[in-house]
Amino acid sequence: MQITIFRGTHEIGGTLVELMSGKSRILIDAGYPLFLNNQPIGDEVSSYSYDKLLEVGVLPNIKGLYRWDAPGFDAVLISHAHIDHYGLLRYIHPAIPVYLSNGTRKIIDISALFLQSVQPQAGACEFDMYKPFQIGDFRIMPFLMDHSAFDAAAFEISDKEKTIIYTGDFRGHGRKAVCLDRFIDKAKKGADVLLTEGTMFGRQDEEVITEQELEDRLVKKIENFIKPVLFQSSSQNIDRLVSFYRAAARLDKMFVADVYTANVLYELRQLGNNHLPYPSVDYPNIKVFYPYRLTQKIFNRIGAEYAKRFSPFYIPKDTLKAEQNNIVMAVRPSMKMDIEIAGLKNGLFIYSMWSGYRDSEYQKEFEEYLNRAGFVADVLHTSGHATISDIRRLITGLEPKQIIPIHTMSPDSFIGLSDRVSLKEDGERFDI
């Protein structure tokens, strides 16, 4: 078996890993990079021509992968619905099948509708966790992992002679922490290669708490706070939404989701294999807010049903203003005008995402507005990625013959964990 890591040996995000065995060739993840020339990638880059994207390295030079080449891959596997793992799907040849879980497909589809982002082709294939499937010479076993992305997967991939394990992004302190224990218990021991993420090796000063601890801290922070509570997190970080919802419910406060977040929760609940809270008669403290621009977009371009399905749970701006001292409300920078018109003032703004995103001018302008409106800013966050102790536990439990760090800015930090660590370079093809 041959492996090529096209991106990720010294970088977080933008992951692409190729496996070859006999005549079979697959790609694990097709990630859009988070950085370009060591700086956060700008929005304008997505409008570059194919040649320009290849020139600057957003698209690695991979023969047989892209839509302008003859297809040379048997499949692309997507581990989870974060754009740094699936964002290059738009460039992949439509004849190459894309394999992903049902939950990942649902998140990508709803994002494509609302955010005009990447969507897998109609012929995408869905896999079930813990059920092996075959692609050419490769047998693939997907494992459900605890991560800030819903339905994230790790893969155990074998040909007739060798086995590699790809962790994808994972952690052991979320609401599905048991998944890491199950993975360590069920995945093959002594695999030839473990490809493991190491995001947190560059963030060792960052406090990591469990999602339950985050919920408990939130309750303590707002239980005697009689003012509006606004929070900003990813609408796709389902664990975090659940944490804020549960805190609101414990304090008998109203949980207010914008119509996009409401659709994410609704669509995932329809999968039928979870108990996620969503706007419905079963969750009377959840109300849905309709930001003006987003609502216009839904009716003009997306489909009116995505707004009308929440009509019974709609909270208008005047009611929001009247009830503001009893709300826990999800917000984002694009909602600045709506917050202003609703008259929300003098409350608490809780930022619950990676701190690096706060450096953008768009975010700074939003937080400056909130400050002028009398909101005090606070941070309450925990990472979606594995701690060093989780990675050490993974290595001890799986006992791989070779450990290759990916999705990390600090691969050298792995060397102290084991004498089986092997550092690679982007684009380097190697045999196992």
Side-chain angles (χ1 to χ4, degrees):
M1 190 187 299
Q2 294 181 317
I3 303 177
T4 308
I5 303 169
F6 286 102
R7 184 161 50 221
T9 61
H10 297 79
E11 185 173 345
I12 294 171
T15 308
L16 301 100
V17 179
E18 177 190 299
L19 302 184
M20 293 181 64
S21 178
K23 295 181 179 180
S24 299
R25 188 183 184 201
I26 62 175
L27 187 75
I28 311 173
D29 282 336
Y32 190 83
L34 300 177
F35 302 93
L36 186 62
N37 299 323
N38 297 317
Q39 298 295 323
I41 196 163
D43 293 338
E44 74 283 355
V45 174
S46 62
S47 64
Y48 286 0
S49 67
Y50 295 154
D51 289 342
K52 181 72 170 177
L53 290 168
L54 284 165
E55 178 186 337
V56 300
V58 170
L59 296 181
N61 188 12
I62 307 174
K63 297 300 182 184
L65 181 63
Y66 304 120
R67 56 177 61 249
W68 53 85
D69 282 342
F73 280 79
D74 294 278
V76 174
L77 304 180
I78 300 298
S79 64
H80 64 279
H82 279 158
I83 200 159
D84 63 317
H85 290 260
Y86 80 87
L88 297 188
L89 284 182
R90 73 179 73 183
Y91 305 108
I92 288 175
H93 198 290
I96 300 173
V98 175
Y99 286 75
L100 69 181
S101 74
N102 193 359
T104 294
R105 175 66 179 268
K106 186 65 72 175
I107 288 282
I108 293 175
D109 284 349
I110 200 73
S111 297
L113 265 179
F114 279 81
L115 309 177
Q116 276 73 60
S117 61
V118 187
Q119 190 168 22
Q121 58 261 35
C125 306
E126 294 180 3
F127 58 74
D128 295 320
M129 300 296 181
Y130 310 110
K131 292 185 179 180
F133 57 98
Q134 197 79 22
I135 300 175
D137 291 334
F138 293 109
R139 178 188 182 273
I140 297 136
M141 171 70 85
F143 293 85
L144 180 65
M145 297 296 272
D146 180 23
H147 182 45
S148 52
F150 185 83
D151 222 24
F155 299 115
E156 176 187 299
I157 305 176
S158 304
D159 62 9
K160 294 178 181 179
E161 297 180 358
K162 303 290 184 178
T163 298
I164 75 111
I165 293 175
Y166 173 83
T167 66
D169 291 356
F170 75 100
R171 63 178 177 177
H173 54 273
R175 294 194 177 275
K176 302 181 296 297
V178 66
C179 291
L180 179 56
D181 299 322
R182 187 181 300 140
F183 177 58
I184 293 172
D185 180 52
K186 301 296 184 183
K188 182 176 180 177
K189 308 304 179 287
D192 296 279
V193 169
L194 172 67
L195 293 164
T196 179
E197 74 126 302
T199 307
M200 294 300 288
F201 274 101
R203 306 177 186 171
Q204 296 185 42
D205 57 345
E206 183 177 315
E207 183 186 23
V208 177
I209 58 177
T210 68
E211 284 290 338
Q212 185 60 54
E213 288 171 331
L214 187 146
E215 176 191 325
D216 293 341
R217 288 189 186 185
L218 178 60
V219 167
K220 289 182 179 179
K221 190 181 294 288
I222 66 175
E223 60 184 342
N224 297 314
F225 188 77
I226 320 247
K227 293 289 183 180
V229 176
L230 309 183
F231 73 94
Q232 184 179 351
S233 72
S234 168
S235 294
Q236 298 179 12
N237 187 341
I238 305 304
D239 274 8
R240 192 60 40 79
L241 293 176
V242 169
S243 293
F244 276 84
Y245 163 77
R246 284 173 55 88
R250 286 168 61 179
L251 298 173
D252 199 26
K253 289 180 177 285
M254 185 187 303
F255 181 82
V256 183
D258 69 278
V259 67
Y260 167 60
T261 304
N263 271 283
V264 171
L265 292 171
Y266 174 88
E267 293 290 346
L268 292 179
R269 183 60 185 262
Q270 304 317 300
L271 296 176
N273 57 1
N274 62 74
H275 299 284
L276 293 177
Y278 73 110
S280 63
V281 294
D282 295 327
Y283 298 92
N285 71 316
I286 300 181
K287 301 300 179 185
V288 180
F289 181 70
Y290 289 70
Y292 177 77
R293 290 180 183 173
L294 178 56
T295 305
Q296 291 296 107
K297 183 177 176 182
I298 291 173
F299 279 97
N300 294 335
R301 297 166 58 186
I302 296 173
E305 68 271 20
Y306 291 96
K308 292 180 178 179
R309 61 173 44 155
F310 302 117
S311 295
F313 319 107
Y314 163 60
I315 182 167
K317 290 184 177 67
D318 56 350
T319 304
L320 188 64
K321 182 176 183 179
E323 298 286 344
Q324 65 177 294
N325 290 344
N326 194 42
I327 64 168
V328 175
M329 179 176 174
V331 298
R332 65 176 63 87
S334 61
M335 293 169 59
K336 182 175 81 69
M337 180 181 69
D338 302 280
I339 295 168
E340 186 173 9
I341 293 172
L344 305 184
K345 294 180 179 179
N346 303 322
L348 176 65
F349 169 67
I350 300 176
Y351 184 84
S352 193
M353 300 172 70
W354 177 53
S355 60
Y357 296 137
R358 299 183 85 183
D359 294 335
S360 75
E361 289 303 314
Y362 193 41
Q363 181 69 31
K364 288 178 181 177
E365 290 173 6
F366 179 55
E367 294 193 35
E368 286 168 3
Y369 159 73
L370 291 175
N371 179 259
R372 293 194 301 272
F375 282 87
V376 175
D378 202 348
V379 176
L380 186 56
H381 180 58
T382 193
S383 177
H385 297 277
T387 62
I388 295 170
S389 62
D390 283 333
I391 294 171
R392 185 178 288 112
R393 181 159 64 96
L394 180 76
I395 291 171
T396 300
L398 295 184
E399 299 181 322
K401 296 174 184 174
Q402 187 177 178
I403 302 154
I404 300 176
I406 57 172
H407 204 281
T408 181
M409 297 283 197
S410 305
D412 291 349
S413 300
F414 273 78
I415 293 174
L417 295 184
S418 171
D419 58 5
R420 290 163 285 162
V421 172
S422 177
L423 304 184
K424 304 297 181 183
E425 298 293 327
D426 285 357
E428 173 189 355
R429 177 171 292 177
F430 53 95
D431 295 311
I432 60 168

